[in-house]
Amino acid sequence: MRKLSLILILFVILSVSAVSAQESSTLIVQSNGDPQTLSGLYANDGNSLSVVTFLVEPLVLGGENWGDSIEPALAESWTVSDDGLEYTFNLRQGVKWHDGVEFTAADVLFTYQVVLLEENAIDWRSNLLQNGEPFGFEVVDDYTFKVILTQPDATVLTALSIPIVPAHAFESTNVVDAPFNTNPIGTGPYRFVEWNTGENIVLEANADYWRGAPKIGRLVVSFIEGVENSANALLAGELDFARIDGADLTPFQDNPDFTIVEAPRDLMRYVGFNVQSELYSDPAVRQALAVGLDRNAVIDAVAGGYGILPDSVFNRSVFVYEEGRNAQYAFDPEAAKQQLADLGWTDSDGNGFLDKDGQELTLNLAYLGTWSLMQNISPIVYDNWRALGVNVTLVPLDDAAANTEIYDNQNVEKSYDAFLGGWGLFGPEPDHYRNYLASETGFFAYNNADVIALFDEGRSTSDADARYGIYEQADALLWQDLPLIPIFQPIGVYVFRSDLNLEEAEINGTFLTGLKFPGNAYFVES
Amino acid sequence: MSSRSSTLPLSLVSDQHRNEVRGWQLFRRHRLALASGLLLLMFIGIAVFADQVTPYDPNATNTDYARGKPQAPSFEYALGTDNYGRDYLSRTISGVRVSLFVGISAVIFQLLIGVTIGALAGYFGGWLDNLLMRITDIFLAIPAFMLLLILAGILGGTLLALIFAIGALNWMTVARLVRGQFLSLREREFVMAGQCIGASHWRLIAVYILPNTISSIIVAATLSIPGAILTESALSFLGLGVPPPNASLGNMLGGAQQWIRTAWWMWIVPGATISLIVLAFNFVGDGLRDALDPQLR
């Protein structure tokens, strides 16, 4: 009897350990909070992209939010007609949606048609327009899809890089409030299981994934706000993988339990000017302020040194970027003061602030006050520019006010002189900056005919070398004109459990999740 | 107490004077309160002369010195610096100024509302009392901090908005206290005497009754300043307080969150300062209550 119970106990212990081994095959990653949507069509904010990127895929990688190079995904290959007007995509065969239905060209057609419907209000709509007219689409057979243009357009591949959604999920519903938006189906490495509001989203491996079934069975996107909290959660074992640049890294350095990997992120933090404002319409003033801003100090103070000092208004992932081509605006407060003095800005009334013709050099610096990064950047900009004699006022705005006053690209009238902003995930295509750099109603109200002409030319030129030359010119012009002062491009510091192998998953800062092929991650047996 | 029952307004003054002298003696016997009072005087002095006593401009960064990390106390920076290289002593001093200014102003504001409502309700009684007290109950029933968060969000982060928000949501206790005192005082002989010689309602409230409630109001006010200071700190901690880059003890604590493991001065300095101010006000309030409040004597 005794022996039997001992065996039983052993058995129980063994089975328990077997269960725990299975459980350890869960990867817990971090996101800041509940996504606004789980539909790949609408996801264009950090929280949504942090989940959606695991679930869906575009035809081709390399568009906005989809990495730094053009690579085949759901389209296996493509050919371009000699006149540059017809793109024929050969779709991958045997790809299954998460519900088992087969992926075909009909889904691709459906996706682009849905995006084009204005009533659906999908951000990507403008991607599929050419001079205001939509691209032509044609389903040749189940695995061949054709895009027909009216004139050559070099940005087609990245423009088409939009997550494909299954047509059959929308048979009896409209797109705007489809059940799909909270219970999505994709072709990606992980499929949606459940959403615990305010807590996490649980995904499980898509065993039929065309790149091969993910080795980790479950993926949990846990909602933890802020890098410090993420760092604490990593230490407490509540997260397996997180990006924590800006947090105190001391506990992870020289710690065998954790691995640290750095990768530049396809993001930019910047001070944007209202180019139409009275005081800051002169590029020379903007240049002086750039010279008077200690951007390295910002990198040290807010990013713990994990940032790249930019020398272009474009991010590094843009194909035309080349380090050192533009002259750097190196920090030199004395030179900045001199430049302002040369422009006639002096402190004639002795109140500590510069003035010219009886007008004081005031600057309203707006930013999203709930964004801690912007909050952290603001004291340095404030102090640096005050030291030059600019009467800076910080204007932190709440989310609603920021949406109407900063993140508004409909109006030319802006309420700020300058604002702190961040953007990115534009991928390799410089044309993705068009709405900001070549549009009068963009954030900077920047309306430079030369820049707009270059952007238009760049779009219609298909020859790669010629394109490079065009955007090189635009880059030099923008760096000279400086509608925005790029402060830094962050370097992601990805920290994860040392028994997690991410080599084949490719840590890549141009994806919001930091992982290019999340399905290839696995735990090393120890 | 009983000796007062036959007092008339004229002799009341000297009676009050005797009370004051005796109150001061009692307060002095309360050692802790006395020490706290001195400490508070020091803090108030620092706050008033903040511009003169801060060694550095509290918003001036020294990023070369800090290199992105808070720097420990040194000869140059007595309380160290934050991660921007801003002198922590200067920031603490300007934080003390903000805290005291907001705390005291908010309490004055809440006294204005509370005393007015309490006096009207207690003096006139009847339907007015009923109405005002139900309003008070409604305010008491609202979870004040939640409403404060919303109010601070709507009004934006200026000092005046903070003072208004804190004051407008914390006057209820004072109103009830004053009403209770008025209820009992208005039945007293000296008030009746006043009515007999034809004193107006306004005069009866302001000259006859109110002075007799002053001591309890002072005690209540002193004891609610710490609450107001803590509320301000909590709001600043959450980023809804004083506008950046200005320092307040609360937003300094907020900024210290990510350095808790590595830079003790970042959180100990503002934390200890808030605690000291709050404790000091509490002890002074206790001392004042022992000294002034007739009910407890």
Side-chain angles (χ1 to χ4, degrees):
Chain A
M1 196 60 199
R2 201 178 221 171
K3 231 176 213 168
L4 188 71
S5 61
L6 230 142
I7 290 169
L8 263 176
I9 286 170
L10 260 174
F11 191 73
V12 166
I13 289 173
L14 277 175
S15 61
V16 163
S17 64
V19 165
S20 69
Q22 225 170 22
E23 268 174 0
S24 77
S25 172
T26 296
L27 175 64
I28 311 175
V29 300
Q30 179 266 350
S31 165
N32 279 329
D34 282 304
Q36 286 174 14
T37 176
L38 290 178
S39 164
L41 297 175
Y42 289 101
N44 198 14
D45 62 289
N47 291 349
S48 308
L49 285 172
S50 299
V51 182
V52 166
T53 316
F54 294 117
L55 303 173
V56 290
E57 289 166 310
L59 284 189
V60 184
L61 295 183
E64 282 184 54
N65 312 327
W66 288 102
D68 50 1
S69 62
I70 295 175
E71 285 172 50
L74 285 177
E76 212 165 16
S77 62
W78 56 87
T79 53
V80 189
S81 65
D82 291 339
D83 57 3
L85 295 181
E86 267 191 29
Y87 283 68
T88 310
F89 292 90
N90 303 311
L91 306 186
R92 214 168 280 281
Q93 303 197 8
V95 174
K96 293 242 167 67
W97 292 103
H98 293 157
D99 57 358
V101 178
E102 189 151 350
F103 158 79
T104 66
D107 296 315
V108 182
L109 179 69
F110 173 80
T111 301
Y112 292 139
Q113 281 176 341
V114 153
V115 171
L116 276 170
L117 270 186
E118 202 158 4
E119 67 200 49
N120 289 336
I122 294 171
D123 287 351
W124 312 119
R125 182 169 182 269
S126 61
N127 282 22
L128 307 182
L129 298 177
Q130 205 173 23
N131 304 324
E133 289 296 312
F135 293 164
F137 298 114
E138 193 189 320
V139 174
V140 180
D141 59 44
D142 271 1
Y143 302 106
T144 315
F145 185 76
K146 230 179 221 181
V147 179
I148 301 140
L149 312 178
T150 49
Q151 64 186 67
D153 186 333
T155 66
V156 168
L157 287 176
T158 53
L160 290 173
S161 183
I162 298 168
I164 304 297
V165 295
H168 67 272
F170 296 92
E171 268 161 8
S172 56
T173 166
N174 67 348
V175 177
V176 181
D177 30 46
F180 179 86
N181 297 348
T182 51
N183 189 7
I185 299 164
T187 57
Y190 282 90
R191 60 197 195 96
F192 176 77
V193 177
E194 59 173 338
W195 180 350
N196 302 308
T197 311
E199 201 180 323
N200 60 25
I201 283 184
V202 182
L203 312 176
E204 82 184 359
N206 170 16
D208 297 328
Y209 187 49
W210 58 270
R211 280 187 220 268
K215 299 181 181 89
I216 294 175
R218 254 157 51 100
L219 195 146
V220 176
V221 182
S222 187
F223 304 149
I224 295 176
E225 169 108 51
V227 287
E228 300 88 31
N229 296 330
S230 299
N232 289 334
L234 275 168
L235 287 173
E238 288 156 16
L239 279 179
D240 298 324
F241 172 85
R243 187 185 55 74
I244 57 163
D245 40 85
D248 188 0
L249 290 174
T250 326
F252 303 100
Q253 282 154 346
D254 304 317
N255 185 338
D257 295 339
F258 293 98
T259 307
I260 306 178
V261 174
E262 294 170 18
R265 303 181 70 206
D266 188 15
L267 298 175
M268 187 71 84
R269 317 306 185 189
Y270 59 83
V271 191
F273 289 99
N274 172 6
V275 175
Q276 306 286 337
S277 69
E278 200 189 337
L279 296 171
Y280 300 96
S281 53
D282 182 0
V285 175
R286 304 197 290 264
Q287 287 165 4
L289 292 181
V291 172
L293 179 61
D294 191 354
R295 294 180 288 160
N296 277 319
V298 178
I299 295 174
D300 282 345
V302 312
Y306 291 99
I308 304 168
L309 191 69
D311 56 1
S312 164
V313 299
F314 293 122
N315 295 359
R316 292 186 162 225
S317 59
V318 164
F319 76 85
V320 76
Y321 177 80
E322 197 178 303
E323 194 173 349
R325 189 172 57 211
N326 295 321
Q328 189 55 273
Y329 292 102
F331 176 56
D332 184 348
E334 291 312 313
K337 272 184 207 161
Q338 191 54 48
Q339 285 178 28
L340 287 170
D342 292 346
L343 293 165
W345 291 102
T346 50
D347 185 11
S348 64
D349 54 6
N351 68 346
F353 296 117
L354 301 177
D355 53 80
K356 179 162 117 178
D357 308 331
Q359 196 179 14
E360 197 170 82
L361 190 58
T362 56
L363 187 141
N364 275 326
L365 185 68
Y367 59 93
L368 177 57
T370 52
W371 189 357
S372 60
L373 179 74
M374 297 300 140
Q375 227 175 43
N376 294 342
I377 295 175
S378 64
I380 298 180
V381 181
Y382 175 91
D383 186 51
N384 281 176
W385 287 355
R386 281 226 163 196
L388 300 180
V390 184
N391 190 355
V392 183
T393 311
L394 297 183
V395 188
L397 301 169
D398 62 29
D399 296 36
N403 275 333
T404 54
E405 289 183 29
I406 305 179
Y407 306 120
D408 161 45
N409 49 14
Q410 309 296 326
N411 295 306
V412 182
E413 296 280 318
K414 310 287 183 192
S415 61
Y416 45 80
D417 295 314
F419 72 98
L420 294 174
W423 68 22
L425 299 173
F426 292 135
E429 178 51 61
D431 191 64
H432 292 156
Y433 294 76
R434 168 188 292 266
N435 288 344
Y436 308 99
L437 299 176
S439 158
E440 191 188 16
T441 56
F443 297 169
F444 319 119
Y446 181 61
N447 185 16
N448 184 325
D450 297 338
V451 174
I452 294 174
L454 284 169
F455 269 81
D456 287 344
E457 200 188 337
R459 192 167 192 170
S460 56
T461 306
S462 45
D463 178 62
D465 290 342
R467 283 200 95 211
Y468 191 96
I470 291 163
Y471 285 110
E472 193 177 356
Q473 271 184 56
D475 181 36
L477 195 57
L478 284 160
W479 187 246
Q480 193 66 32
D481 223 17
L482 225 53
L484 70 155
I485 303 175
I487 304 178
F488 72 97
Q489 195 177 328
I491 297 173
V493 179
Y494 300 89
V495 177
F496 51 95
R497 279 167 52 174
S498 288
D499 61 347
L500 179 63
N501 187 313
L502 294 178
E503 255 168 56
E504 289 163 41
E506 289 187 32
I507 292 184
N508 183 323
T510 63
F511 284 88
L512 196 82
T513 54
L515 297 172
K516 187 168 184 182
F517 302 118
N520 293 350
Y522 63 91
F523 284 106
V524 183
E525 300 280 327
S526 54
Chain B
M1 282 298 279
S2 59
S3 67
R4 268 216 202 156
S5 55
S6 60
T7 329
L8 286 170
L10 255 177
S11 62
L12 185 74
V13 176
S14 58
D15 190 16
Q16 220 178 344
H17 180 68
R18 265 205 312 279
N19 276 342
E20 274 164 18
V21 174
R22 172 146 173 74
W24 171 239
Q25 286 166 346
L26 278 169
F27 182 75
R28 261 197 337 197
R29 280 221 308 261
H30 201 309
R31 288 281 160 75
L32 205 53
L34 194 65
S36 299
L38 289 175
L39 188 74
L40 273 185
L41 278 180
M42 191 192 81
F43 272 125
I44 290 170
I46 287 175
V48 170
F49 297 104
D51 289 336
Q52 282 75 37
V53 295
T54 47
Y56 296 89
D57 173 356
N59 292 330
T61 59
N62 186 350
T63 44
D64 288 342
Y65 178 79
R67 294 186 319 281
K69 291 210 164 161
Q71 298 300 315
S74 63
F75 282 116
E76 208 178 337
Y77 297 105
L79 292 178
T81 75
D82 64 8
N83 50 324
Y84 301 100
R86 298 182 292 198
D87 177 41
Y88 224 51
L89 175 61
S90 304
R91 286 186 79 71
T92 308
I93 290 173
S94 86
V96 167
R97 167 191 264 186
V98 169
S99 286
L100 286 178
F101 178 71
V102 172
I104 293 174
S105 308
V107 166
I108 290 175
F109 184 60
Q110 78 191 42
L111 284 186
L112 285 180
I113 307 177
V115 170
T116 312
I117 288 185
L120 290 177
Y123 180 80
F124 289 107
W127 66 268
L128 187 64
D129 181 25
N130 227 326
L131 176 74
L132 291 176
M133 281 307 109
R134 290 306 75 77
I135 294 176
T136 313
D137 287 344
I138 291 171
F139 268 87
L140 273 173
I142 299 172
F145 197 74
M146 293 300 138
L147 195 59
L148 253 179
L149 286 178
I150 298 168
L151 258 184
I154 295 172
L155 297 172
T158 66
L159 278 189
L160 279 182
L162 265 186
I163 292 166
F164 172 79
I166 297 174
L169 292 176
N170 289 297
W171 50 269
M172 294 79 75
T173 338
V174 178
R176 286 189 150 185
L177 183 87
V178 172
R179 170 182 173 267
Q181 298 245 329
F182 265 67
L183 275 183
S184 70
L185 285 170
R186 72 171 184 192
E187 308 295 339
R188 298 276 286 278
E189 292 84 347
F190 69 89
V191 178
M192 277 190 248
Q195 280 168 336
C196 291
I197 60 171
S200 62
H201 289 312
W202 162 244
R203 192 174 157 78
L204 283 172
I205 292 175
V207 181
Y208 283 69
I209 307 182
L210 198 57
N212 289 291
T213 64
I214 285 291
S215 51
S216 3
I217 293 177
I218 289 178
V219 172
T222 317
L223 287 173
S224 49
I225 289 176
I229 289 178
L230 284 177
T231 311
E232 185 275 328
S233 302
L235 286 176
S236 291
F237 181 83
L238 296 172
L240 290 167
V242 293
N246 299 320
S248 91
L249 296 172
N251 67 24
M252 288 168 76
L253 269 182
Q257 277 181 97
Q258 60 165 313
W259 307 105
I260 284 179
R261 278 171 218 277
T262 45
W264 54 268
W265 61 96
M266 286 284 281
W267 54 275
I268 285 195
V269 171
T273 313
I274 295 177
S275 311
L276 268 182
I277 294 178
V278 166
L279 270 179
F281 268 112
N282 274 326
F283 285 134
V284 169
D286 284 348
L288 282 175
R289 191 181 51 212
D290 293 352
L292 296 177
D293 202 328
Q295 260 92 40
L296 284 171
R297 216 185 287 160

